[in-house]
Amino acid sequence: MATDTHPLSLPPDLIRLGAAPAGKEAAIREAAQLLIAAGCIDPAYADSMIRRESVANTFLGHGVAIPHGMVDDRNLVRRNGIAILQVPDGVVWNDGQTARLVVAIAAQSDAHIAILRRLTRLMQDEARLNALFTTGDPADLVAALSDESAAPATPASEAGDLAESFEWVVDYPTGLHARPAAAWVETARAASGRVRVRHGDEAVDGKTLVALLQLGLRPGDRITVSADGSDAHAVLNRLRATITGLSAREKADAAAAARKAKAVVQGWTPPTTAGREMPVVAGVGASPGLAIGPVHVMPKADLTVPDRPAPLLEGGNRLHEALNLTRQQLKALADDTARRLGPAEAGIFAAQAELLNDTDVITLACQLMVEGHGPGWSWNEAVERSAAKLAANPNPVLAGRAADLRDVGRRVLTRIDPDLRGGSIRDLPDTPCILVADDLSPSDTAALDMGRVIGLATAQGGPTSHTAILARTLGLPAMVAGGGALTELANGTTAILDGQSGRLYLEPTDADLAAAHGWIEEQRVKKAQQEERRGLPARTRDGHTVEIGANVNRPDQVPVALSQGAEGVGLMRTEFLFLERGDAPSEEEQYQTYRAMLEALDGRPLIVRALDIGGDKQVPHLQLPHEENPFLGVRGARLLLRHPELLEPQLRALYRAAKGAKPDALLIMFPMITTLREIETLRAVCDRIRAELDAPAVPLGIMVEVPAAAIQADVLARHVDFFSIGTNDLTQYALAVDRQHPELAAEADSLHPSVLRLIRMTVEGAEKHGRWVGVCGGIAGDPFGAALLAGLGVRELSMTPRDIPGVKDRLRDSDLAGLRALAQRALDCESSDEVRALEGEAS
């Protein structure tokens, strides 16, 4: 089979100017037709190019796409060739990606690496590339792809502003970090034209996360955001709304962190010893607490990535497959972290996943591959170059992102080449130790064996790094930014780590150790009392008992909840049975889950909330219609009544489980009830299914989440057996504040007097008919919030298991008369700030 003797040849008949394809597939087929007409490929290769798009993204960035066929279809290539389709008005390649030059490649081997090398260099010459998008002379394209010296003409740092712009002064307390930057990028990527963010003389692509972070924006920095294209004005309006809208949330997060910091005990002070000071390595406190034990220095991961060149298309396939697999892995990690540690911590891995969409890192890797390097080496080099720029940033928040980039980069690398997995944090001594490392990735921190690691000290990082955030969530004493002296310590050295002051004390004397142990004991007293009494009822000093349940989603979570002092499950969110899969669970699958929950509880109560989706909880595989305002749309009970195919299998599974359970062990409650008619209809369905199965009666309750249900509680109580208040939703509906709105979320305070009055109204309505009221919303797990709720007459509280000991302890140290007086004072307050000022008086 003949091949090109001059692979860089680009005949004019393989260039089509001024094309206007209807879409991406049409563009690929039009370019493929040029190759077919020139005898480069069999017609079937066009279909292979289309299939290639489903497994990998061929968009290189900067308006250039390089469609090509599947590796297995190279036999359909008759001779090497490229064809260029110029699309002046652009064609959407993927969301946020518009191609103006479609360079279709037909190659049996790597014969066109030279063309691709020049193309990737050309992509950095913005002015020349823009001219090629609209040129009327094919010779310009031939010259551009034949010019070996093609190189960037104007560095990004010297680029001016685009056609339309606005200025903004950074007011985020910690500057621009990964999570808000990801929101900027998501908004910018919807633009058809370019988006640029400039700080001083440095300008970057606003659609690129790493580039934004490398600006190192701090509070007070003035930036210019500009855009071009037909939608530039609308794009800038959306960007301004996104950027400024995040300010309130960033400030609220900083304020919350400050409040928590004030609440934590001060650091440990070593005893004064005449003539001797303990050697100390000073860093920055990242997570409070004191740890005493031997140091274990984790060897530096000096990874050598071999450069194993591969055919370009093969290397591209491996990189794209690795990126896709890593996205799936991060999604699973985020889900697991959300269940174990909370949604805020899970957001760390969502931000990491956004780094995989960074076109600068991916494009650099592609450029290195077309220069002849292997995919693993190219990817690692691209990540390291970007991470090094971040690590050198004087802003500690931005410097902390280098660990995130390296973490996610390593995940992709081990997918490209499994031989590079190397050692891990699992290679620890059997005895508990203070783990010392140059740096730890967030995923390594989340996976630490808490039985073997009692403290954490890193040479790099910052107190706002994701690793530090996870350490605080885990309750692990930690310091960061300790410098190179840390990693030079000898394994086994006895040390005292103070995570509050950020110091690692070395070679302590017996007196030092005794003082440290005494300090730990003082701090442990309160917690020890809580732990010792967590199995006791939450009974006040004058004999009033509040039932304490746990919010649990799966049977395997029940033992942990019981070990923390839960007396049952006050909320089982059944939507997780639907969210964690690609199809709806069958009646049998649901039955097995409910039965396993009941068996794990061994007669203790299980309150199951019927499927609650809609609003912020969507299940993609159910293909529910899009709603402009889902929080005021078809959600909760409204959705169940419109979809009996979802409601009835769930009720059948629940009543089947009730047949084998102890009496009153199972309770069912329905979400988002607003009218009596909804209750009557749902009860009728329950009665019919119960009769069909000859199952026992099950107490039926409702969630009180909208003001209408609270106001009419005295009416609804005649038709239900209990109420459970969802304070998160009740707050957002009562205050007309979307609790997910970045600008307003901080104002959605469940301790607002109006919310407390709705809770009191619910309790009074229930009492008229002898019904009890529980709360399964966020404030139930806050000791002060729990005290207020008990004073308002709430009889049952359900919360995250880790919050149970503290809540029980607070209630046991109170008396009912004092709680009622406190609640009345809160009802008389004029703002949530006044209510919170009452904290400390619940006794």
Side-chain angles (χ1 to χ4, degrees), residues 1-351:
M1 182 175 294
T3 59
D4 286 337
T5 57
H6 195 301
L8 304 183
S9 174
L10 184 56
D13 60 352
L14 283 171
I15 298 175
R16 179 167 297 168
L17 302 178
K24 174 179 170 180
E25 181 173 343
I28 294 173
R29 292 195 181 280
E30 189 170 345
Q33 189 58 45
L34 296 175
L35 292 171
I36 294 170
C40 294
I41 60 173
D42 286 341
Y45 195 71
D47 293 327
S48 180
M49 295 169 77
I50 298 297
R51 288 196 301 274
R52 180 71 168 74
E53 296 299 318
S54 66
V55 298
N57 184 4
T58 61
F59 187 81
L60 275 184
H62 301 276
V64 179
I66 53 167
H68 44 275
M70 303 289 286
V71 175
D72 294 341
D73 293 329
R74 286 185 178 176
N75 61 304
L76 299 176
V77 177
R78 296 177 180 175
R79 65 184 181 88
N80 296 327
I82 66 170
I84 297 181
L85 193 71
Q86 180 205 61
V87 188
D89 293 333
V91 59
V92 175
W93 210 254
N94 294 302
D95 288 343
Q97 299 173 341
T98 301
R100 290 178 170 81
L101 279 186
V102 179
V103 183
I105 301 173
Q108 293 175 321
S109 60
D110 57 1
H112 286 277
I113 283 181
I115 280 282
L116 292 176
R117 182 188 298 118
R118 292 168 187 172
L119 183 61
T120 52
R121 288 178 179 172
L122 178 64
M123 287 165 54
Q124 299 173 66
D125 188 343
E126 190 173 288
R128 191 174 187 187
L129 186 60
N130 285 338
L132 295 179
F133 291 159
T134 56
T135 183
D137 187 353
D140 291 342
L141 285 162
V142 174
L145 292 179
S146 302
D147 185 357
E148 193 67 49
S149 64
T154 305
S157 63
E158 298 177 9
D161 299 329
L162 301 175
E164 296 196 40
S165 65
F166 69 85
E167 290 189 347
W168 181 68
V169 177
V170 179
D171 62 0
Y172 301 167
T174 56
L176 181 64
H177 57 95
R179 277 176 279 188
W184 291 24
V185 168
E186 183 180 356
T187 303
R189 282 183 177 160
S192 62
R194 295 171 297 170
V195 174
R196 184 171 291 161
V197 178
R198 179 175 59 81
H199 174 231
D201 293 332
E202 187 173 5
V204 300
D205 183 353
K207 299 180 181 181
T208 303
L209 182 64
V210 170
L212 278 176
L213 294 177
Q214 287 174 349
L215 281 176
L217 296 178
R218 298 184 176 202
D221 285 348
R222 182 178 296 275
I223 65 171
T224 301
V225 183
S226 60
D228 61 11
S230 58
D231 60 347
H233 184 71
V235 166
L236 289 179
N237 283 340
R238 291 196 297 270
L239 262 173
R240 189 196 298 270
T242 297
I243 291 171
T244 58
L246 289 167
S247 295
R249 185 172 67 184
E250 291 297 307
K251 292 173 182 176
D253 288 347
R259 286 196 300 269
K260 290 179 181 177
K262 290 178 182 177
V264 222
V265 295
Q266 294 301 311
W268 174 67
T269 302
T272 302
T273 304
R276 179 188 181 275
E277 287 188 5
M278 262 195 300
V280 61
V281 178
V284 178
S287 179
L290 212 62
I292 304 172
V295 163
H296 175 76
V297 182
M298 187 172 160
K300 285 189 178 181
D302 292 326
L303 182 66
T304 300
V305 180
D307 192 356
R308 301 189 181 107
L312 181 61
L313 299 185
E314 177 187 332
N317 278 332
R318 286 165 60 188
L319 176 58
H320 283 297
E321 181 181 10
L323 289 168
N324 289 332
L325 289 172
T326 303
R327 288 187 184 97
Q328 297 171 15
Q329 184 184 38
L330 287 170
K331 175 65 167 63
L333 183 59
D335 290 344
D336 178 66
T337 304
R339 287 190 292 269
R340 294 192 300 110
L341 303 180
E345 286 71 27
I348 290 169
F349 300 106

